[in-house]
Amino acid sequence: MRSKDRLKNIWVELVGESAELRNEHIAVNAMCLISFVLLMILVLFDIVMGMYNMALILGSMSIVSSFLYYYARYKQKYNAVIFIYTIASYAILGVCFVFNSGINGPTVLGFVLTFLLLTAIVKRKYHLTIACVHVVFLISLCLAEYQMPHWFPYSYSSGLVRIADWSFVFVLCMAFTYFIVMFLRSSYKREHILAEQRALDILEQNVRLQNLIAEKDKLFSLVSHDISTPLTLIQGYLEVLGDAPAEKEIEIRQGLLSLTRRTSDMLVNMLTWSKSQMNGVKINTQSFNVNELLHRNLPIYHSIAEAKDISIDTSACSDVFVSADEEMTKAIFRNLLSNAIKFTPSDGQIKLAIERDGRFCNIHITDNGIGMSPEKQQELFTLNSKATYGTHNETGVGLGLVLCKEFAELQKGNIIVKSTENEGSNFTVRLPLS
C-alpha cells in the first residue's frame, strides 16, 4: 500500500494536481509524458530487434515529446504544446508508416493509439476533425503504398521479427490504452467530486448570504430606530435651550454632547462596517507608539466620562511600539472605551493598561460596570442585532464589538474578554509588537 501511495505521489508530482491545474492541463502533461515513455520503450525494442532506422526516428520524436512535456508542465504553454503535439503525431505516423514496412508494419495500431491520445487533450469540438484527418491520412498512405510500393521498403529481416514487432506493439497499445482510459475515468471522477464540492460551497455561501442579508436588514432597522431616538431628544433640547435658565444650560449642553457623540459613533460604525462588507478592508501596517495614540484620542472620552462622574485611570499605560494599522487601532479604542463608559454606572472607574507580553502588546480596558452573563459573552462578537442599554439608557446594537474583533484579527491579533455580572468587564486587545 505504501509503494502504491508513493507511485501515486510521484505521478501527481509529474503531471500536477487539480488544486493547482485544470483537468485539461493535467491531461496535456500526462499525454506528453505517456508519449515520451511509449517512444522510449519502442526505441529500446527496435534496437534489440536490429531496426536501427526506426530506433533513430523514434528517439528523435521522444526528445520532442520531452520538450513538449517541459513546456506544458513548467511553462504552461498548453495551446502551443497541443498544436505542436498534434503536428508531431501525424509526422511520426507518416514516417513510421514509410520506414516500417507500410501496411505490413504495426503503424496502423499507432493510428488508433494516437487518436485516443489526441482526443484526450484537444477540445471536444475538434474531435470530429481529428477523426476525419486520421482516416484520410491513413487511406492516403495506403493508396500511396499501392501506387508506389518502392517508397515503402520491407524492413523486417524475417517473418519472426515481424510477428515480434506486431505482438509487442499490440501489447504496448493495449497497456497504454488501458492506462489512458483509467486516467480519463479518474479525471472525470475528480471533476465530478470537484463539481459537487463547488455546488456545496455555493449552497453554503447562499445560506451565509441570506443570513447576512437578514441580519443586515434587522440591523439597519434597529439602527434607524436608535438614531431617530437621540435626534428627537436633540431636537427637544434645542427647543428648550433658549428658554432654559443659565444653570440648566450646562446640563442641556452636556446632554447634547453625549447624544451627539453616541449618534456619531453609531453612524461611524455603521459606515465602517458597510464599507468593509462591500469593498473589504485595506490594512496600512506601520510602527507606532500605542500609548501615544491612546492619549491623543482620550480627551474626547474624558469629557463624556465626566458627565457620568466616571474616572479613567491611565497610570498603568507604558510606551509600547506595535506593528499595526493606526486607524484600525484607534477604532478599537473608540468602541471599547465608549462601551466601558456606557456600561459603567455613575461614580465608576475605568482602568487602562498597556504592557508587553512576549511578542505581543496587551491593551487592557477594565471597568467596574454591570458586566455580562456567560450567555451574553457567547454572542458578544456576532451580529445578533439585539439592542443593548447602558446605565443611563444609552442604546446600541453591538456593531462596534464586531468591528473590534475583525480589526484585531486583520492585524494578526485578537481580543479576549472576561466579565462577571454586576462586577465589571475586562477587554484585552493583543497586537503584535513592532
Side-chain angles (χ1 to χ4, degrees):
M1 188 66 181
R2 290 180 179 177
S3 59
K4 183 179 179 181
D5 291 339
R6 193 178 299 113
L7 288 174
K8 183 178 180 181
N9 291 335
I10 294 173
W11 173 254
V12 170
E13 181 66 26
L14 288 172
V15 303
E17 55 183 342
S18 55
E20 59 174 333
L21 297 173
R22 294 162 57 183
N23 275 346
E24 51 266 36
H25 295 164
I26 296 175
V28 174
N29 298 336
M31 294 309 111
C32 290
L33 186 60
I34 290 172
S35 299
F36 173 76
V37 174
L38 176 64
L39 290 168
M40 289 304 299
I41 293 174
L42 290 172
V43 167
L44 294 175
F45 177 79
D46 288 339
I47 292 174
V48 172
M49 291 290 103
M51 303 167 64
Y52 300 112
N53 288 337
M54 286 302 304
L56 181 62
I57 294 170
L58 295 177
S60 301
M61 293 308 301
S62 68
I63 295 174
V64 174
S65 294
S66 66
F67 276 107
L68 291 178
Y69 168 75
Y70 171 77
Y71 276 97
R73 179 69 179 93
Y74 299 105
K75 298 295 184 180
Q76 282 80 48
K77 304 291 185 181
Y78 293 106
N79 291 332
V81 166
I82 291 172
F83 178 76
I84 297 173
Y85 184 91
T86 304
I87 300 301
S89 297
Y90 287 116
I92 190 174
L93 287 173
V95 172
C96 288
F97 191 88
V98 171
F99 288 94
N100 197 18
S101 306
I103 196 67
N104 293 305
T107 308
V108 66
L109 296 177
F111 272 86
V112 178
L113 183 60
T114 303
F115 177 73
L116 185 59
L117 288 168
L118 290 177
T119 53
I121 61 174
V122 300
K123 294 180 179 179
R124 184 174 298 179
K125 61 182 179 180
Y126 299 123
H127 285 184
L128 181 59
T129 302
I130 295 293
C132 293
V133 170
H134 250 63
V135 172
V136 171
F137 190 41
L138 179 59
I139 292 175
S140 299
L141 288 172
C142 291
L143 290 175
E145 182 183 10
Y146 176 75
Q147 294 292 332
M148 297 168 288
H150 56 280
W151 283 15
F152 302 83
Y154 191 81
S155 58
Y156 294 113
S157 58
S158 66
L160 184 61
V161 173
R162 179 173 179 269
I163 292 173
D165 190 24
W166 262 92
S167 301
F168 181 78
V169 173
F170 179 74
V171 171
L172 202 61
C173 286
M174 281 189 61
F176 275 90
T177 298
Y178 174 79
F179 184 82
I180 294 168
V181 170
M182 294 306 295
F183 172 78
L184 294 177
R185 288 185 62 180
S186 176
S187 298
Y188 170 78
K189 184 178 179 180
R190 183 169 58 249
E191 186 68 26
H192 182 68
I193 292 173
L194 289 174
E196 289 182 342
Q197 185 60 48
R198 284 194 291 266
L200 288 174
D201 291 342
I202 292 172
L203 183 61
E204 290 177 1
Q205 289 174 0
N206 287 337
V207 171
R208 287 197 298 267
L209 182 61
Q210 290 173 0
N211 291 336
L212 184 62
I213 291 173
E215 289 176 344
K216 180 207 66 175
D217 292 341
K218 190 174 181 182
L219 182 64
F220 274 106
S221 175
L222 287 168
V223 169
S224 62
H225 173 268
D226 287 341
I227 289 178
S228 64
T229 300
L231 290 177
T232 302
L233 292 174
I234 290 172
Q235 181 181 355
Y237 277 134
L238 291 174
E239 288 175 352
V240 302
L241 185 60
D243 301 326
E247 63 273 9
K248 190 69 175 176
E249 283 189 12
I250 298 176
E251 182 182 344
I252 292 175
R253 291 179 190 277
Q254 288 179 340
L256 283 171
L257 177 62
S258 178
L259 286 170
T260 303
R261 170 55 60 185
R262 290 205 306 270
T263 306
S264 175
D265 287 346
M266 194 182 303
L267 287 173
V268 169
N269 284 338
M270 174 59 68
L271 291 174
T272 304
W273 179 79
S274 300
K275 183 180 178 181
S276 70
Q277 297 302 306
M278 290 186 296
N279 304 322
V281 181
K282 295 181 180 179
I283 305 175
N284 180 25
T285 303
Q286 55 186 317
S287 176
F288 60 89
N289 188 335
V290 71
N291 186 31
E292 182 182 323
L293 176 68
L294 172 64
H295 280 84
R296 197 165 60 239
N297 293 274
L298 203 56
I300 298 174
Y301 299 95
H302 269 304
S303 60
I304 299 173
E306 287 172 0
K308 293 179 68 174
D309 295 322
I310 296 172
S311 64
I312 300 178
D313 180 7
T314 60
S315 59
C317 294
S318 57
D319 289 332
V320 179
F321 282 81
V322 297
S323 179
D325 186 297
E326 192 167 333
E327 290 301 317
M328 286 187 180
T329 306
K330 186 166 67 175
I332 294 173
F333 279 147
R334 184 184 71 239
N335 282 289
L336 293 182
L337 278 172
S338 294
N339 277 358
I341 296 171
K342 173 180 173 181
F343 294 107
T344 300
S346 298
D347 299 321
Q349 186 181 51
I350 297 172
K351 293 183 178 181
L352 305 180
I354 300 175
E355 62 180 7
R356 293 174 179 268
D357 181 16
R359 296 182 296 107
F360 288 89
C361 168
N362 287 350
I363 306 160
H364 303 283
I365 300 177
T366 308
D367 63 69
N368 59 351
I370 60 178
M372 291 175 286
S373 65
E375 293 76 19
K376 179 65 178 175
Q377 294 178 52
Q378 289 289 329
E379 57 186 26
L380 195 60
F381 297 104
T382 62
L383 269 179
N384 52 31
S385 301
K386 293 179 181 178
T388 55
Y389 295 89
T391 54
H392 283 192
N393 288 323
E394 304 98 325
T395 59
V397 293
L399 183 58
L401 289 177
V402 174
L403 287 173
C404 288
K405 183 176 185 294
E406 180 180 344
F407 285 174
E409 291 177 350
L410 284 172
Q411 297 178 93
K412 299 180 180 178
N414 64 318
I415 291 183
I416 302 170
V417 59
K418 296 178 182 179
S419 183
T420 305
E421 278 191 288
N422 302 318
E423 293 184 15
S425 302
N426 170 260
F427 285 83
T428 300
V429 182
R430 290 169 55 82
L431 297 176
L433 291 174
S434 173

